[in-house]
Amino acid sequence: MIEPGLMIGTIIMILLMGAVSMIAVIFAARKPTSINKGLRIMSILMVCDMLAAFMKYYLQIGESATRWIMLAGCISDVLYFAFIIGWLYVIGEFCGHMHIFSMRKVTAITVLCGVCAELIVIFGSSYDYDLDMFIVADGFWKNVLLIVNGAYAIAIIGIASVQLVYAVRTIDRGYKRNGVLFFSGMLILYMIWILIFDYSTVDLRLQDFLDVMIIDPLFIVYCLLAAAIICFFFVKGPLELFSVQDEKKQEEQLKDFASSNGLTRRETEVMELVCAGMSNPDIADKLCISEYTVKRHINNIFQKAEVGSRYELISKVLKG
């Protein structure tokens, strides 16, 4: 029997991920950049994966439903593999491109591993109602499944690690580098947990370890991913988050605000880039000035506008 707290937590997570997906869809529609599209794909696949897992583990209605449990399990596995591809796609977009393995090769590897694993589960497993999972009883096929799942997880960890190292060495500070570091790091942690979980599910020697866990680590991963996606949209495109107006209207608001608050030409340029979600280093690169000069202009803008933060500034610009 499923604990009520665990079920409530899962439902809350699904609702949270659904809200994140809606935000991602809205932003991708308003500003269809490759990163926005990637985050939209990833967030949608994430919530679909969670829904399929919910159906697989929580909506079991007795032995007559074994075939439906198997079907839900297959759908969940397909969405899991698609989610990993979407995750890597987002990392590649933040990084500029994939290194060593292209997305086409990553997809081919994923499809091959997924098909092999599913065939083993479908034809070589039976459902254990005490454990609420399919168990591969045959020693040979159990080992093959462990090898396939383990090799895939290690391959993904390796690919994510390459992207992370590339970002550290070659990408300048800013949202792109931060995006690669965060999403690559989270994917590595995610796949390490998948390795542990798959091994325990197939071999069962880690089942006692899983039984004493207070919370599924994937809940924490999903929460961090949701927070990161929301943070990215909020920081990178705050005007789009606060307003549904068109770009022409926003440009008029920016100009009116600069005029009414007595901003200089350079301060107006800085203010527009701040409202576009750019960081101080990005603004310095864009305007070919130092970060110190950027900070000085921003402080002047804050004083003239009588605000204390970037978000107060953005809100005041739009209200004006």
Side-chain angles (χ1 to χ4, degrees), residues 66 76 90 94 108 113 149 152 154-155 167 209 219 230 259 266 278 287:
T66 302
S76 177
V90 168
F94 272 109
C113 292
N149 288 341
Y152 178 73
I154 292 172
F209 166 72
F219 276 25
I230 293 174
S259 176
R266 181 62 86 181
M278 295 181 68
L287 300 179

mmCIF file of all heavy atoms in Angstrom, residues 66 76 90 94 108 113 149 152 154-155 167 209 219 230 259 266 278 287:
data_model
loop_
_atom_site.group_PDB
_atom_site.id
_atom_site.type_symbol
_atom_site.label_atom_id
_atom_site.label_comp_id
_atom_site.label_asym_id
_atom_site.label_seq_id
_atom_site.Cartn_x
_atom_site.Cartn_y
_atom_site.Cartn_z
ATOM 1 N N THR A 66 -1.926 -6.820 -14.537
ATOM 2 C CA THR A 66 -0.509 -6.989 -14.828
ATOM 3 C C THR A 66 -0.137 -6.454 -16.200
ATOM 4 O O THR A 66 0.881 -5.784 -16.377
ATOM 5 C CB THR A 66 -0.116 -8.469 -14.728
ATOM 6 O OG1 THR A 66 -0.427 -8.961 -13.418
ATOM 7 C CG2 THR A 66 1.377 -8.636 -14.972
ATOM 8 N N SER A 76 6.540 4.536 -19.395
ATOM 9 C CA SER A 76 7.393 5.282 -18.477
ATOM 10 C C SER A 76 8.854 5.223 -18.918
ATOM 11 O O SER A 76 9.566 6.231 -18.888
ATOM 12 C CB SER A 76 7.254 4.717 -17.060
ATOM 13 O OG SER A 76 8.119 5.380 -16.161
ATOM 14 N N VAL A 90 19.144 20.427 -24.108
ATOM 15 C CA VAL A 90 19.232 21.711 -23.407
ATOM 16 C C VAL A 90 20.689 22.040 -23.080
ATOM 17 O O VAL A 90 21.148 23.178 -23.276
ATOM 18 C CB VAL A 90 18.389 21.678 -22.117
ATOM 19 C CG1 VAL A 90 18.696 22.884 -21.235
ATOM 20 C CG2 VAL A 90 16.899 21.653 -22.457
ATOM 21 N N PHE A 94 22.832 25.351 -24.406
ATOM 22 C CA PHE A 94 23.554 26.275 -23.538
ATOM 23 C C PHE A 94 25.036 26.320 -23.912
ATOM 24 O O PHE A 94 25.679 27.374 -23.858
ATOM 25 C CB PHE A 94 23.416 25.857 -22.070
ATOM 26 C CG PHE A 94 22.206 26.425 -21.374
ATOM 27 C CD1 PHE A 94 21.132 25.617 -21.039
ATOM 28 C CD2 PHE A 94 22.147 27.773 -21.054
ATOM 29 C CE1 PHE A 94 20.022 26.131 -20.393
ATOM 30 C CE2 PHE A 94 21.040 28.305 -20.404
ATOM 31 C CZ PHE A 94 19.969 27.483 -20.077
ATOM 32 N N ALA A 108 20.627 7.812 -31.141
ATOM 33 C CA ALA A 108 20.787 6.441 -31.621
ATOM 34 C C ALA A 108 21.199 5.503 -30.485
ATOM 35 O O ALA A 108 20.656 4.391 -30.355
ATOM 36 C CB ALA A 108 21.818 6.404 -32.746
ATOM 37 N N CYS A 113 19.843 1.216 -26.569
ATOM 38 C CA CYS A 113 19.812 0.747 -25.181
ATOM 39 C C CYS A 113 18.382 0.563 -24.689
ATOM 40 O O CYS A 113 18.068 -0.414 -23.991
ATOM 41 C CB CYS A 113 20.553 1.731 -24.277
ATOM 42 S SG CYS A 113 22.334 1.796 -24.550
ATOM 43 N N ASN A 149 21.787 -1.237 -18.785
ATOM 44 C CA ASN A 149 21.389 -0.034 -18.041
ATOM 45 C C ASN A 149 22.606 0.710 -17.485
ATOM 46 O O ASN A 149 22.672 1.944 -17.539
ATOM 47 C CB ASN A 149 20.454 -0.413 -16.890
ATOM 48 C CG ASN A 149 19.082 -0.827 -17.367
ATOM 49 O OD1 ASN A 149 18.691 -0.515 -18.489
ATOM 50 N ND2 ASN A 149 18.347 -1.545 -16.535
ATOM 51 N N TYR A 152 24.575 2.486 -20.302
ATOM 52 C CA TYR A 152 23.896 3.693 -20.775
ATOM 53 C C TYR A 152 24.064 4.833 -19.774
ATOM 54 O O TYR A 152 24.387 5.969 -20.148
ATOM 55 C CB TYR A 152 22.413 3.414 -20.998
ATOM 56 C CG TYR A 152 21.655 4.641 -21.448
ATOM 57 C CD1 TYR A 152 21.815 5.128 -22.743
ATOM 58 C CD2 TYR A 152 20.807 5.315 -20.581
ATOM 59 C CE1 TYR A 152 21.136 6.261 -23.161
ATOM 60 C CE2 TYR A 152 20.116 6.450 -20.992
ATOM 61 C CZ TYR A 152 20.288 6.916 -22.287
ATOM 62 O OH TYR A 152 19.618 8.046 -22.691
ATOM 63 N N ILE A 154 26.396 5.245 -17.526
ATOM 64 C CA ILE A 154 27.791 5.698 -17.514
ATOM 65 C C ILE A 154 28.099 6.534 -18.754
ATOM 66 O O ILE A 154 28.829 7.542 -18.685
ATOM 67 C CB ILE A 154 28.741 4.480 -17.419
ATOM 68 C CG1 ILE A 154 28.593 3.819 -16.036
ATOM 69 C CG2 ILE A 154 30.193 4.904 -17.652
ATOM 70 C CD1 ILE A 154 29.324 2.504 -15.906
ATOM 71 N N ALA A 155 27.537 6.137 -19.910
ATOM 72 C CA ALA A 155 27.747 6.910 -21.135
ATOM 73 C C ALA A 155 27.180 8.316 -21.005
ATOM 74 O O ALA A 155 27.821 9.303 -21.393
ATOM 75 C CB ALA A 155 27.110 6.185 -22.322
ATOM 76 N N ALA A 167 32.594 23.700 -20.737
ATOM 77 C CA ALA A 167 32.050 24.988 -20.298
ATOM 78 C C ALA A 167 33.020 25.694 -19.358
ATOM 79 O O ALA A 167 33.227 26.908 -19.450
ATOM 80 C CB ALA A 167 30.705 24.778 -19.610
ATOM 81 N N PHE A 209 18.484 -0.735 1.514
ATOM 82 C CA PHE A 209 18.928 0.656 1.491
ATOM 83 C C PHE A 209 17.805 1.580 1.023
ATOM 84 O O PHE A 209 17.590 2.655 1.577
ATOM 85 C CB PHE A 209 20.145 0.782 0.569
ATOM 86 C CG PHE A 209 20.497 2.197 0.210
ATOM 87 C CD1 PHE A 209 21.065 3.050 1.136
ATOM 88 C CD2 PHE A 209 20.248 2.689 -1.071
ATOM 89 C CE1 PHE A 209 21.389 4.360 0.801
ATOM 90 C CE2 PHE A 209 20.567 3.989 -1.415
ATOM 91 C CZ PHE A 209 21.138 4.817 -0.467
ATOM 92 N N PHE A 219 12.929 13.480 -6.235
ATOM 93 C CA PHE A 219 12.079 14.610 -5.871
ATOM 94 C C PHE A 219 12.913 15.873 -5.735
ATOM 95 O O PHE A 219 12.528 16.954 -6.185
ATOM 96 C CB PHE A 219 11.353 14.315 -4.552
ATOM 97 C CG PHE A 219 10.093 13.509 -4.711
ATOM 98 C CD1 PHE A 219 9.923 12.666 -5.796
ATOM 99 C CD2 PHE A 219 9.079 13.594 -3.781
ATOM 100 C CE1 PHE A 219 8.770 11.912 -5.948
ATOM 101 C CE2 PHE A 219 7.914 12.847 -3.913
ATOM 102 C CZ PHE A 219 7.766 12.005 -5.002
ATOM 103 N N ILE A 230 12.556 28.109 -13.890
ATOM 104 C CA ILE A 230 11.844 29.341 -13.563
ATOM 105 C C ILE A 230 12.826 30.501 -13.414
ATOM 106 O O ILE A 230 12.606 31.613 -13.884
ATOM 107 C CB ILE A 230 11.021 29.156 -12.270
ATOM 108 C CG1 ILE A 230 9.879 28.160 -12.514
ATOM 109 C CG2 ILE A 230 10.454 30.487 -11.798
ATOM 110 C CD1 ILE A 230 9.109 27.802 -11.263
ATOM 111 N N SER A 259 13.280 59.051 -19.952
ATOM 112 C CA SER A 259 13.072 60.490 -20.071
ATOM 113 C C SER A 259 12.544 61.096 -18.775
ATOM 114 O O SER A 259 13.015 62.143 -18.320
ATOM 115 C CB SER A 259 12.097 60.774 -21.217
ATOM 116 O OG SER A 259 11.801 62.152 -21.296
ATOM 117 N N ARG A 266 23.911 56.794 -21.913
ATOM 118 C CA ARG A 266 24.557 55.551 -21.505
ATOM 119 C C ARG A 266 23.750 54.830 -20.441
ATOM 120 O O ARG A 266 23.601 53.609 -20.469
ATOM 121 C CB ARG A 266 25.965 55.832 -20.995
ATOM 122 C CG ARG A 266 26.719 54.578 -20.562
ATOM 123 C CD ARG A 266 26.904 53.618 -21.731
ATOM 124 N NE ARG A 266 28.087 53.942 -22.508
ATOM 125 C CZ ARG A 266 28.458 53.274 -23.590
ATOM 126 N NH1 ARG A 266 27.719 52.279 -24.036
ATOM 127 N NH2 ARG A 266 29.549 53.632 -24.253
ATOM 128 N N MET A 278 20.154 40.862 -18.878
ATOM 129 C CA MET A 278 21.589 40.642 -19.018
ATOM 130 C C MET A 278 22.318 40.895 -17.702
ATOM 131 O O MET A 278 21.953 41.793 -16.934
ATOM 132 C CB MET A 278 22.169 41.539 -20.118
ATOM 133 C CG MET A 278 21.646 41.209 -21.513
ATOM 134 S SD MET A 278 22.361 42.242 -22.826
ATOM 135 C CE MET A 278 24.066 41.663 -22.800
ATOM 136 N N LEU A 287 28.565 46.634 -24.296
ATOM 137 C CA LEU A 287 28.831 48.072 -24.445
ATOM 138 C C LEU A 287 30.325 48.403 -24.493
ATOM 139 O O LEU A 287 30.693 49.583 -24.591
ATOM 140 C CB LEU A 287 28.172 48.844 -23.300
ATOM 141 C CG LEU A 287 26.648 48.708 -23.189
ATOM 142 C CD1 LEU A 287 26.124 49.510 -22.003
ATOM 143 C CD2 LEU A 287 25.967 49.146 -24.470
#
